[in-house]
Amino acid sequence: MNSFKTIEWKDDRVLMIDQRKLPGEEVYVECTTFEEVAECIRKLVIRGAPAIGIAAAMGMALGAAGIGNDCSYENFEERMKAISDHLALTRPTAVNLFWAIARMNRLISKCRGKEIEEIKNLLITEAINIQKEDIETCMQIGENGSKLIRENSVILTHCNAGGLATAGYGTALGVIRSAFNQGKNISVISSETRPVLQGARLTTWELERDGIPVRLITDSMAGHLMSKGIVNSVVVGADRVASNGDTANKIGTYSLSVLAKHHGIPFYVAAPTSTIDTECLSGEDIIIEQREPEEVTHIDGKRISAEVTAINPAFDITPAENIECLITEVGLFKKPYTKSLGRLKKKDQ
Ligand code: MRU
């Protein structure tokens, strides 16, 4: 496990490592209100689909803690609905945010008739459980996915789907961690992931701390390296997987999938089942977050372009046909995804 804590519930506060400052500074932000948690999600203090879900759940627990114990159940439920709506408005693409909020709200619905103080404590426990379960889930994703990683492989990953994007182990990096821990001789190529540089700043930081060999490339170098036979597989995370297998992940993932297909390199998506949106039919239905143009036109507050605006979609959609296999905690899903993921839908009901 990692020596850093992505997020932690401590003495009725939520602590998060400030991912905007990594790798230069390792500092923790403390939140005492749900509004502060929402702001941290919006501003990318915490990011990565599963980590956003954990933060939202802890944000709801913080919000509940701010409600008086003399409140009626109806009033409590109404106030928690407003808190949920506030947290849900932070980022639109990662389904784990909505999944975690819905799970917390299901618990509230089951608590009618209980003392408000007890409900508040149960919400804290539920948020902490979501976090604990994520570690186990990611370790299982790692175990399942590691079977696909051959000895002596060079694995390309994009963005950060690691410990920083989850409760601590990672999805795509979970697969890499597990393969490495099994003693496989592997190394990683991390694409820098413009404009927020999650690959350069976060993935290299956490892999280097674990002693996993990693080299950094700019996003535009991937095709060249693939054409030279230097990349053996691509493993990425996901923000939302539609029921037909179309996958939203960090901008640039789609291009990598097209390149991988062209060069006959297996392209894997590693994600927990909480990232699979069985209600969503295809990638067409996934909302892509558009972020501020300044993330593209500026670096460290300094303009790098002429006085123009920029287009800044934070995610793109990788069509299901480009994905060799989806690695989850319950096993590997293969094409056709509508059929394989359909079984998951039935299990959920
Ligand atoms: O904008 P971000 O940094 O939240 O985007 C993160 C990603 O795209 C990750 O690949 C995804 O959330 C999976 S994290 C296990």
Side-chain angles (χ1 to χ4, degrees):
M1 278 303 300
N2 291 303
S3 49
F4 59 87
K5 287 222 163 70
T6 307
I7 181 165
E8 189 184 7
W9 179 275
K10 199 171 182 198
D11 306 330
D12 291 334
R13 292 164 303 148
V14 177
L15 300 180
M16 305 170 191
I17 192 165
D18 191 341
Q19 301 197 25
R20 298 166 306 176
K21 304 231 163 88
L22 289 170
E25 284 175 68
E26 197 177 323
V27 287
Y28 287 78
V29 171
E30 182 182 304
C31 299
T32 52
T33 66
F34 73 89
E35 289 98 335
E36 285 169 356
V37 172
E39 205 48 18
C40 282
I41 297 174
R42 194 173 293 116
K43 292 201 168 143
L44 311 182
V45 170
I46 189 155
R47 32 65 50 202
I52 294 171
I54 297 162
M58 290 190 177
M60 282 186 70
L62 272 185
I67 300 174
N69 287 340
D70 52 352
C71 178
S72 69
Y73 174 82
E74 284 69 27
N75 192 241
F76 179 81
E77 201 180 26
E78 204 176 306
R79 289 179 66 180
M80 288 310 295
K81 161 96 181 60
I83 291 167
S84 307
D85 291 348
H86 185 91
L87 286 159
L89 278 175
T90 50
R91 297 193 74 191
T93 308
V95 72
N96 304 62
L97 172 73
F98 307 96
W99 171 87
I101 292 172
R103 178 164 158 178
M104 297 292 277
N105 279 323
R106 275 200 301 278
L107 173 65
I108 296 173
S109 314
K110 283 190 208 141
C111 286
R112 186 180 286 275
K114 286 196 190 334
E115 295 287 333
I116 296 299
E117 192 178 3
E118 189 187 349
I119 305 178
K120 290 180 352 185
N121 286 332
L122 286 170
L123 286 171
I124 296 172
T125 308
E126 188 75 348
I128 294 170
N129 281 343
I130 290 177
Q131 180 185 30
K132 283 187 190 149
E133 287 167 22
D134 181 79
I135 306 237
E136 286 159 30
T137 298
C138 285
M139 290 183 99
Q140 197 55 58
I141 290 172
E143 175 68 26
N144 294 341
S146 64
K147 300 183 180 106
L148 301 166
I149 305 297
R150 289 196 317 269
E151 183 63 278
N152 300 322
S153 2
V154 176
I155 306 145
L156 175 72
T157 190
H158 188 58
C159 191
N160 173 265
L164 288 164
T166 61
Y169 195 73
T171 55
L173 295 196
V175 170
I176 289 166
R177 274 200 172 91
S178 295
F180 182 78
N181 291 340
Q182 287 159 11
K184 285 185 183 154
N185 174 30
I186 57 168
S187 73
V188 177
I189 292 178
S190 168
S191 45
E192 63 175 352
T193 322
R194 273 277 287 151
V196 179
L197 302 175
Q198 290 93 331
R201 297 187 302 104
L202 309 176
T203 294
T204 61
W205 182 77
E206 64 167 275
L207 289 180
E208 204 259 340
R209 279 172 80 112
D210 273 9
I212 301 176
V214 55
R215 288 172 291 172
L216 178 66
I217 58 166
T218 67
D219 299 327
S220 50
M221 293 173 186
H224 171 72
L225 296 181
M226 287 186 192
S227 76
K228 294 286 175 200
I230 291 170
V231 177
N232 302 109
S233 59
V234 181
V235 187
V236 296
D239 283 83
R240 193 184 291 243
V241 180
S243 55
N244 72 342
D246 288 353
T247 294
N249 191 49
K250 180 52 54 194
I251 191 75
T253 305
Y254 166 54
S255 318
L256 288 175
S257 78
V258 174
L259 283 169
K261 193 175 184 186
H262 180 79
H263 293 288
I265 297 167
F267 183 95
Y268 302 116
V269 171
T273 48
S274 54
T275 303
I276 300 168
D277 184 355
T278 50
E279 303 291 305
C280 177
L281 293 183
S282 80
E284 291 277 308
D285 303 325
I286 301 177
I287 297 172
I288 300 289
E289 177 183 5
Q290 304 291 325
R291 293 188 64 86
E292 306 75 46
E294 288 71 26
E295 282 183 353
V296 179
T297 55
H298 290 65
I299 290 181
D300 273 345
K302 214 171 153 227
R303 186 173 266 280
I304 55 151
S305 71
E307 291 287 332
V308 295
T309 191
I311 308 168
N312 188 15
F315 302 97
D316 58 27
I317 305 292
T318 297
E321 69 196 58
N322 291 3
I323 303 168
E324 178 85 11
C325 139
L326 178 63
I327 306 162
T328 76
E329 75 278 18
V330 297
L332 308 179
F333 290 86
K334 300 211 168 118
K335 288 178 248 189
Y337 293 103
T338 310
K339 198 166 164 210
S340 58
L341 294 177
R343 283 198 289 275
L344 192 68
K345 195 172 184 176
K346 288 207 185 67
K347 221 183 105 211
D348 274 356
Q349 286 162 356

